[in-house]
Amino acid sequence: LEPKETGLLQAPRRKPTKYIVDSLILVRIALVGVVMTVCTLLLFNHYLPQGIVKATTISMAVLTVFQWLNIFNVRSHARSIFSKDVFRNKYLIGALGIVIALQMLAIYTPFLQNILHTTALSFDDWKVVISVGLIIVVAEELRKFITRKITKE
């Protein structure tokens, strides 16, 4: 439901690849996967002395924050997320709101805490989780910048 990009049809035609997953997609998958994996494991290890439930809750939270932010990364393969109107896709914003609400229920509702083995996170915990989650934006913006530089040369 993402609105089309302006100037999309003005781009020079190129022969479509016969593969759904091309080299650009593979680079994006590898970059995002490595960043998410390394950051999540580091946070898990950091919080493990506070208990396994705290460490797994932090890990789940950071993985979901990565996805919250990554949905804005994938809206364009080359354009910066800062060059697009974040609120242009109302369906995306609505879905994000629902997902955030469900995440909060999973972490703060005693019934779901028992089922999912989660624990409440403090404001300081959320500052860490969101700060680490922003790394995915930085990594993807750097990849997009390099991609734009390479394709212009």
Side-chain angles (χ1 to χ4, degrees), residues 43 46-47 58 62 65 122-135:
L43 269 184
H46 177 75
Y47 279 90
I58 287 285
V62 78
V65 169
S122 70
F123 183 72
D124 287 338
D125 293 334
W126 277 110
K127 287 193 297 189
V128 170
V129 166
I130 296 208
S131 296
V132 171
L134 287 169
I135 293 172

Side-chain angles (χ1 to χ4, degrees), residues 61-82:
V62 78
L63 282 171
T64 57
V65 169
F66 279 140
Q67 296 306 322
W68 299 348
L69 298 171
N70 200 40
I71 61 171
F72 296 105
N73 280 336
V74 298
R75 291 173 72 197
S76 173
H77 72 280
R79 292 182 61 202
S80 170
I81 65 171
F82 304 109

